[in-house]
Amino acid sequence: MKFTRKHANQVRAAARIEVKTNRVSVEAGTRFNINTCKNSINIAAISDDPEWNDTDLDDYRDLKDLIGTEIEEKDGKVHIDFYIYLGPDRELESNVDLIWQDGKLVAANGTTNKNILSQLEG
């Protein structure tokens, strides 16, 4: 899936809903599989575990740097964990993870708000 400005806007909107403020900085987490050592920004590409227990955080990428990037899919699925920061000190406030299937957003869940997708659509 080519990550577009539309995808980035979906991420920003989900992050704003999760932390209830408009001023957010967002980074995507790159994860690695602790058994295979394969890493990817797409959790679905490296793990079949629904809780990602076989993965760990490897690195971060700024959301704006993802625009135009081709993201490896698994059966049309892209699942990315995003980190939300607030303030000039960029304190970690929360996380949201978004799932796209064949380029369409199908799930958006925050650390505290487990039903962000319905709020994005409504």
Side-chain angles (χ1 to χ4, degrees):
M1 174 182 96
K2 187 169 187 172
F3 197 86
T4 65
R5 187 167 306 282
K6 177 182 176 183
H7 297 122
N9 289 340
Q10 291 171 327
V11 173
R12 280 190 205 95
R16 289 175 179 138
I17 290 169
E18 170 67 11
V19 298
K20 298 173 181 62
T21 186
N22 285 332
R23 300 194 66 166
V24 297
S25 297
V26 181
E27 292 182 330
T30 300
R31 301 192 73 82
F32 73 95
N33 185 295
I34 59 175
N35 299 313
T36 66
C37 296
K38 184 176 179 185
N39 70 339
S40 179
I41 200 159
N42 179 9
I43 298 164
I46 61 167
S47 178
D48 293 323
D49 183 337
E51 300 297 321
W52 337 329
N53 289 325
D54 58 353
T55 74
D56 203 353
L57 184 63
D58 182 43
D59 203 356
Y60 303 96
R61 289 191 58 191
D62 194 284
L63 179 62
K64 70 180 182 304
D65 294 339
L66 287 182
I67 297 171
T69 300
E70 193 67 39
I71 299 184
E72 174 187 13
E73 298 177 30
K74 182 175 181 187
D75 301 324
K77 183 177 182 180
V78 172
H79 182 179
I80 305 175
D81 185 28
F82 295 94
Y83 294 76
I84 307 167
Y85 302 93
L86 299 180
D89 295 332
R90 293 180 41 87
E91 290 186 39
L92 180 62
E93 183 69 16
S94 193
N95 291 62
V96 290
D97 64 282
L98 280 72
I99 300 173
W100 292 269
Q101 182 67 47
D102 300 317
K104 182 181 186 289
L105 184 63
V106 296
N109 300 295
T111 302
T112 59
N113 187 337
K114 300 298 183 191
N115 195 15
I116 293 174
L117 183 62
S118 67
Q119 295 169 62
L120 288 171
E121 295 172 341

